[in-house]
Amino acid sequence: MRALTETTFTEAVQGSKIPAIVKFEGPGCTPCKVMVPVVAALEKELGSRAAFFSVSVEDAPRVAERNAVNTLPTIIIYAIGGKSALGVLVGATSLSRLRKVVEEALAKSRP
């Protein structure tokens, strides 16, 4: 999972040729830490079907603000080109729930 900053977010997400999954997190956020292995497992499962990124709201507060992130962790699944969100998941969750939300979002991105 590649970490994004204020300067790399737009290029990475909008430039992605596949849907982008972005986990917004914070350094003191316990639920965010719980989600690290969950998101890593899903990234391994999905392989090249989606690009995975993380954003620290402490390091990139304007990115979080522009994406209406008010609670951590927040996972946003962006369509190809990053112009719209296909799905949003707020708070810690299980791998099966995350997989379901992401799979539903990825299904919307198919032509």
Side-chain angles (χ1 to χ4, degrees):
M1 180 178 304
R2 184 173 141 211
L4 301 178
T5 65
E6 297 278 353
T7 56
T8 61
F9 180 85
T10 301
E11 181 181 338
V13 174
Q14 291 182 359
S16 182
K17 304 291 184 214
I18 54 179
I21 299 172
V22 181
K23 180 174 68 123
F24 290 86
E25 59 193 5
C29 171
T30 301
C32 298
K33 292 176 181 142
V34 168
M35 290 302 295
V36 169
V38 174
V39 175
L42 186 63
E43 182 177 17
K44 189 173 182 177
E45 281 181 28
L46 291 179
S48 62
R49 291 180 53 210
F52 283 76
F53 302 104
S54 66
V55 173
S56 168
V57 297
E58 186 174 82
D59 297 336
R62 288 185 298 273
V63 172
E65 185 179 310
R66 282 193 311 268
N67 288 277
V69 173
N70 298 312
T71 304
L72 298 178
T74 293
I75 297 172
I76 302 177
I77 304 105
Y78 293 93
I80 296 169
K83 298 282 186 186
S84 63
L86 299 170
V88 177
L89 189 63
V90 178
T93 191
S94 66
L95 176 59
S96 61
R97 173 78 176 123
L98 177 60
R99 183 186 302 115
K100 182 179 187 297
V101 170
V102 169
E103 289 289 355
E104 288 171 358
L106 292 178
K108 292 178 194 175
S109 73
R110 294 187 191 116

